[in-house]
Amino acid sequence: MPPLPPTQALARAGALLAGHGFRETARNERGDSLYYARGDGPERLRLSNHARTPKQRRLHPEVMTSLVIRAPKTEAQVAAMVEAALRDFAAGLARSRQEPA
């Protein structure tokens, strides 16, 4: 199977995240960054075609991790990226629960 173009790979990643209990909660004005949540907490997983800037990281600490797809990816590559993002999300949750409020 040929690699998926970035827009299709992002859509596939979103579908895989949904399979893990995530739901889309927001998207930016351009529609190239989507934010997913699992449960009622403020924590988010960001799915996008570009990385966040340091300012975005500072202003939005609720984003535990970003999954960025800029180039064509195979289904297996997308699945591996989603699994890595899920691990990063879980690690971010664990860190946020250890930090004093």
Side-chain angles (χ1 to χ4, degrees), residues 17-54:
L17 288 170
H20 285 278
F22 283 83
R23 70 188 186 295
E24 184 182 327
T25 59
R27 60 178 57 213
N28 70 351
E29 294 168 359
R30 293 183 308 272
D32 57 2
S33 292
L34 294 86
Y35 297 85
Y36 287 81
R38 182 167 53 189
D40 295 327
E43 301 86 10
R44 298 293 181 260
L45 187 153
R46 178 177 171 267
L47 179 58
S48 186
N49 66 358
H50 63 280
R52 294 192 304 154
T53 64

Side-chain angles (χ1 to χ4, degrees), residues 54-76:
K55 181 179 178 183
Q56 289 170 319
R57 284 189 199 93
R58 194 172 54 255
L59 294 175
H60 296 285
E62 72 279 5
V63 177
M64 300 284 108
T65 192
S66 290
L67 193 167
V68 177
I69 299 177
R70 297 181 195 163
K73 301 289 180 195
T74 65
E75 292 263 350

